[in-house]
Amino acid sequence: MAKDMNQEEFTLDLQKLRSELDQLHNKATASSESSSALGQRRKQAYESLGCHKDALSVIERIDKMSPDKLADFLRSFEPMFSGLLPQWKEQYQDMVDKANAQSDDMAGAMG
């Protein structure tokens, strides 16, 4: 994953995500595969997608759920996620604004 990934806007390629999830699922269910091979496959997936590894892990766990379990999970998860997302984005934006202000201050001091 690129070192500056947290400074970039993440864009989702849904088809690529679906392909990576399918490959991970296939690797996880193949009994002949070792856990280290699965770990390597996960690393390749998040590097390929350009996403955070924990975010991919959460999505992978959700994607593996049975339809009944998924329906029950989403009934609770979606409203909680939607409710907290604005707060998280505000916290993130505050961090970005503070970093930008410090960068501007340093540039002004040098110039």
Side-chain angles (χ1 to χ4, degrees):
M1 180 169 27
K3 292 184 191 251
D4 294 330
M5 188 69 59
N6 59 349
Q7 300 297 324
E8 298 175 13
E9 185 71 27
F10 177 72
T11 56
L12 176 64
D13 180 337
L14 190 55
Q15 189 173 20
K16 190 172 185 179
L17 174 61
R18 179 77 267 152
S19 173
E20 293 290 353
L21 288 171
D22 290 345
Q23 290 178 46
L24 285 168
H25 180 66
N26 290 338
K27 182 75 73 176
T29 56
S31 60
S32 63
E33 295 295 334
S34 70
S35 61
S36 64
L38 179 58
Q40 276 299 109
R41 184 64 198 102
R42 282 191 175 109
K43 182 178 180 186
Q44 290 171 354
Y46 73 75
E47 287 176 349
S48 169
L49 292 165
C51 65
H52 191 278
K53 66 182 179 178
D54 293 338
L56 178 61
S57 176
V58 169
I59 294 299
E60 183 185 0
R61 286 195 319 256
I62 294 169
D63 193 61
K64 284 187 202 178
M65 291 180 183
S66 69
D68 289 343
K69 195 172 190 177
L70 178 63
D72 190 41
F73 174 86
L74 291 176
R75 179 188 60 77
S76 301
F77 180 82
E78 189 173 5
M80 288 189 298
F81 182 82
S82 297
L84 289 172
L85 187 59
Q87 293 173 22
W88 294 335
K89 284 185 173 184
E90 184 178 320
Q91 290 171 355
Y92 167 77
Q93 191 58 51
D94 288 347
M95 286 182 359
V96 170
D97 292 345
K98 187 180 285 186
N100 287 340
Q102 289 173 344
S103 178
D104 291 345
D105 289 346
M106 290 176 74
M110 296 178 133

